[in-house]
Amino acid sequence: MAKMIDGKLVSKKITEWVAREVKDMTDAGHRKPFLGVILIGDNPASKIYVGRKETACREVGFDTTTIRFDEDVPEDEVIQQIREFNNNPNVDGILVQLPLPEHMDFLRVFNELSPHKDIDGLTPHSQGLLALNRAHHIPCTPKGIIKLIKAIDFEMKGVHAAVVGRSALVGSPIAKLLTHHHATVTTVHSRTKNPWEFTSTADLLVVAAGVPKLVDEKWVKKDAVVIDVGIHRVDDKICGDVDFDRVKEKASWITPVPGGVGPMTIAALLTNCFNAYKTHVS
Ligand code: GUN
C-alpha cells in the first residue's frame, strides 16, 4: 500500500515561508507584492482556480487584482491590459488564465507579457529558457511537482521517469525539468500505441493526460512513485487521471486528488511572484 504525498502539508510550509518573507519586507518599509490576473470568459474551472489564487495571495499578504473580460472581448483589449500591467512598476507578476477563448492567438497574447513578470513561465521566451535549463520562472504545476518529489527525498538522477501528456502547461515542461534533474524521460501521449508498455518500466510516473482514471495498475511499475496532475468531477465525485484505488496497491508513493498537486501549483505561483517582487523592490 502506497504512502501518500501530502501536497497540502508541503504547500502549507511554502506559503507560510512566503508569508514570513512578505512580512519581513513590509516591516522594513517596502510595499506589498502585487499579482495582476486576467480572466477571460466564463469557464467554471478557470473561475474556481482564479478564486483560489486570489485567496492564497491575500493569505500571504500580497495585493491582487483580477481584470475580467467577456468571452468575445477583442484580443487588442486584452493586450492593452497586459501592457498596462507591464508598464506599472507596482505590478510584480501577471497571470493570464488559460484556456484562452478560441478566437485568440496564444502566441500573440503571451508574447506581450514582460518576461520578468511572467510568473507562470508560459511565454515563448520563458519556455525557451526552460528548455535551456536557464528559466527565471518555472511553470507553476511542474515546479510544484518537483517540490513534491524532493519532499519525499526521491533521487531523480539516473531513474526512468515517464510523463503521460505533452501539454505546454504541464507535460512538456515537466519532461524538460525531469531531464534537467538527470532522469531519463519518456513521454507518452494520446497517439502513443500501448503507452503502458513504456510507463510500466518507469520508477517515476507523472500523469497529466486530462482523462479521468486513465492510468490503472497495468501502467505502473511495482514500487513506482506516481504523481497525478488530473482533477475531474465524475458522478459527483472528484478523481484524478490515475485510478487511485487500484494503483495505490502497487505504487510506493502516490499523490491524492484532491490534496496532491493542486495546492502545490498555487504555492509555486506565490513563490514565483515573490521572487519577481524581490527583483523589483531591491
Ligand atoms: N489553467 C490551468 N492551470 C493554469 C496555470 O497554471 N496557469 C494558467 N495561466 N492557466 C491555467
Side-chain angles (χ1 to χ4, degrees):
M1 170 84 172
K3 287 185 264 188
M4 295 304 123
I5 310 179
D6 190 343
K8 266 196 198 161
L9 186 68
V10 180
S11 69
K12 185 162 176 277
K13 285 186 187 155
I14 295 168
T15 52
E16 284 172 356
W17 175 84
V18 175
R20 281 196 303 275
E21 292 284 312
V22 171
K23 183 166 185 312
D24 286 351
M25 294 297 282
T26 50
D27 283 354
H30 294 290
R31 65 170 174 81
K32 292 178 174 185
F34 188 101
L35 174 70
V37 179
I38 295 177
L39 173 61
I40 310 165
D42 280 323
N43 182 312
S46 292
K47 284 189 188 166
I48 292 172
Y49 290 141
V50 167
R52 290 207 181 124
K53 288 169 192 172
E54 288 172 330
T55 306
C57 280
R58 300 225 164 79
E59 278 172 4
V60 297
F62 289 11
D63 280 331
T64 180
T65 274
T66 301
I67 308 292
R68 292 176 167 78
F69 291 107
D70 290 340
E71 182 83 15
D72 60 358
V73 62
E75 200 169 272
D76 285 340
E77 262 186 56
V78 174
I79 287 175
Q80 187 54 36
Q81 181 59 51
I82 292 173
R83 289 182 182 160
E84 275 177 37
F85 279 152
N86 282 343
N87 295 331
N88 183 342
N90 292 325
V91 173
D92 301 298
I94 307 171
L95 185 144
V96 180
Q97 184 67 24
L98 294 172
L100 295 178
E102 295 248 326
H103 69 278
M104 284 196 192
D105 176 356
F106 171 86
L107 269 190
R108 183 158 177 257
V109 173
F110 272 71
N111 261 331
E112 287 288 337
L113 285 169
S114 157
H116 299 288
K117 298 190 179 187
D118 172 29
I119 43 77
D120 239 355
L122 294 178
T123 60
H125 181 92
S126 298
Q127 299 227 27
L129 288 175
L130 180 68
L132 298 168
N133 199 12
R134 300 284 294 274
H136 299 304
H137 297 301
I138 295 171
C140 300
T141 301
K143 180 172 175 154
I145 293 170
I146 296 290
K147 290 238 186 262
L148 284 180
I149 294 167
K150 288 185 174 170
I152 58 164
D153 283 328
F154 181 82
E155 173 65 85
M156 287 172 265
K157 186 163 50 175
V159 305
H160 177 206
V163 177
V164 184
R166 53 177 164 174
S167 69
L169 213 48
V170 185
S172 172
I174 190 64
K176 292 188 187 90
L177 278 174
L178 291 168
T179 305
H180 299 330
H181 283 86
H182 311 296
T184 301
V185 180
T186 305
T187 296
V188 302
H189 48 75
S190 53
R191 312 290 167 87
T192 306
K193 286 189 185 133
N194 303 339
W196 50 87
E197 288 176 5
F198 301 91
T199 62
S200 60
T201 63
D203 310 291
L204 171 63
L205 180 56
V206 178
V207 188
V211 180
K213 296 191 184 181
L214 173 72
V215 168
D216 64 17
E217 71 279 14
K218 180 173 73 177
W219 294 56
V220 177
K221 182 180 173 184
K222 173 120 182 52
D223 292 331
V225 171
V226 179
I227 310 282
D228 187 355
V229 181
I231 183 154
H232 314 273
R233 184 179 291 276
V234 177
D235 298 333
D236 249 9
K237 285 198 190 120
I238 304 284
C239 69
D241 290 351
V242 173
D243 191 332
F244 182 87
D245 289 334
R246 296 171 74 155
V247 170
K248 76 177 193 302
E249 303 299 334
K250 200 164 182 188
S252 61
W253 289 91
I254 188 167
T255 55
V257 177
V261 172
M264 295 302 295
T265 299
I266 298 202
L269 175 77
L270 297 174
T271 51
N272 281 352
C273 193
F274 182 74
N275 290 339
Y277 160 78
K278 283 287 282 265
T279 66
H280 294 151
V281 296
S282 51

